[in-house]
Amino acid sequence: MSNFIIGEDAFNAPTEAGGGNDVEWSKLNSGMSYKVRVFKNYTQAAMKFRNYGIFKVVNSFSAKNPSTKNANGFAESNLTPWDAATKYYTDLMFKAMDEKNAADEKKYKQEAGKYREKERFGVAFVDLDTGTPVHFDISPKQWGVIRTALQKYAANLGSIPFEIAKTGSGKDTVLSFMPIMTQLEPLTDKQQANFDKFNDVEFDPSVFAGFMYEIDEAEQTKLLVQAGFNVKLIGLTAPTDEGEAPATNDPFATGGGPIEVDDESLPF
């Protein structure tokens, strides 16, 4: 099973609630905005992919040998090490639910979400300030906002600039993608020149393939240790590089405990 689909298939793909090289994606943090132009072949300027990663701890990556998914998109066989870590905490979460232990249920839910493979979307536009393409790594919900606007204004995309922005924080982060009313907010001469420069330029969807960083099980295991997970708990052996701290039987021993995970990242 491929980790990603590109172009019109990605544009039209369903956004079930459940990559790439972090260095390559354009930053779109909360409080940031871009004035952009939509590519002429805008349905080709999209990618749907799945990856793992923990913000500020482990850069995003995809499995070289992806797990087999069920109809709901969740791993059911041929589990990767990260899938196995997710299952470990999911099983503990369900046990806590059965025992009506709300505190442990919440803790294990957060931990399962850290290691779970997530569905993401990539989308490309032209940055009107620089005159170069920008590529954003966004959630399915955020992609839905963009796709709805593109479909709504499809007949006039060649003449309308847009502003893409993020506001809020955590699970309250909101992405907006709105047409710019140029009669009220005119483009600068530079922005207009960059807009016009791309009148007949089409996006090359093969560019997205370079964003995918795929690694094997051995590297995934190293990254689990880096993230603080005790891989002995899922039957694996921790790397023995010089200076590597030995694993213990405490799943929180080196990981610093649970982190906040927004609801969109969780399957439960």
Side-chain angles (χ1 to χ4, degrees):
M1 177 181 177
S2 174
N3 285 310
F4 61 96
I5 55 175
I6 293 172
E8 194 158 355
D9 286 343
F11 186 89
N12 294 319
T15 57
E16 64 264 10
N21 184 338
D22 288 341
V23 177
E24 302 291 340
W25 296 110
S26 304
K27 288 186 179 179
L28 183 58
N29 300 328
S30 183
M32 294 181 64
S33 65
Y34 291 77
K35 291 182 178 179
V36 299
R37 175 183 180 133
V38 176
F39 279 100
K40 181 179 179 180
N41 61 335
Y42 65 95
T43 61
Q44 294 294 311
M47 174 174 68
K48 179 181 179 180
F49 63 102
R50 305 183 72 91
N51 68 4
Y52 305 85
I54 302 175
F55 183 59
K56 293 185 178 180
V57 178
V58 175
N59 288 342
S60 60
F61 67 90
S62 294
K64 184 173 291 186
N65 300 302
S67 56
T68 301
K69 309 298 191 298
N70 62 22
N72 294 318
F74 301 126
E76 64 177 1
S77 61
N78 188 36
L79 300 186
T80 69
W82 281 59
D83 293 330
T86 299
K87 183 179 184 301
Y88 175 81
Y89 284 116
T90 300
D91 290 345
L92 289 177
M93 183 195 73
F94 286 128
K95 183 174 183 291
M97 289 173 63
D98 290 340
E99 295 172 351
K100 302 189 184 306
N101 186 331
D104 279 356
E105 178 186 344
K106 179 180 179 181
K107 176 176 67 175
Y108 295 135
K109 178 179 179 179
Q110 290 176 322
E111 287 298 310
K114 283 169 59 175
Y115 302 107
R116 186 176 68 86
E117 186 183 40
K118 300 170 182 67
E119 180 186 271
R120 304 291 293 177
F121 278 80
V123 62
F125 300 108
V126 177
D127 181 352
L128 295 183
D129 286 315
T130 64
T132 58
V134 283
H135 314 85
F136 300 116
D137 168 11
I138 55 178
S139 71
K141 183 177 179 180
Q142 293 165 350
W143 165 241
V145 171
I146 293 174
R147 183 170 64 179
T148 296
L150 293 175
Q151 292 170 330
K152 179 177 181 179
Y153 298 103
N156 299 294
L157 291 177
S159 59
I160 301 176
F162 287 80
E163 182 174 66
I164 182 171
K166 274 187 183 178
T167 57
S169 61
K171 66 181 181 180
D172 296 320
T173 300
V174 175
L175 181 142
S176 61
F177 187 72
M178 300 292 293
I180 296 172
M181 307 296 289
T182 53
Q183 64 269 38
L184 300 177
E185 187 182 357
L187 299 179
T188 66
D189 290 344
K190 179 181 179 180
Q191 290 169 342
Q192 186 63 56
N194 286 332
F195 187 95
D196 296 339
K197 183 172 67 173
F198 280 82
N199 282 337
D200 298 312
V201 176
E202 294 193 343
F203 179 74
D204 177 5
S206 68
V207 167
F208 277 130
F211 285 70
M212 301 307 296
Y213 175 53
E214 297 183 336
I215 62 175
D216 61 19
E217 288 78 3
E219 289 298 318
Q220 290 178 49
T221 301
K222 289 181 181 180
L223 292 179
L224 275 179
V225 173
Q226 177 180 317
F229 183 82
N230 175 14
V231 296
K232 287 185 178 180
L233 297 171
I234 55 174
L236 299 177
T237 302
T240 56
D241 295 342
E242 186 176 350
E244 186 84 57
T248 73
N249 289 323
D250 179 359
F252 297 116
T254 59
I259 62 168
E260 288 299 319
V261 179
D262 63 86
D263 290 342
E264 192 177 344
S265 297
L266 300 173
F268 313 108

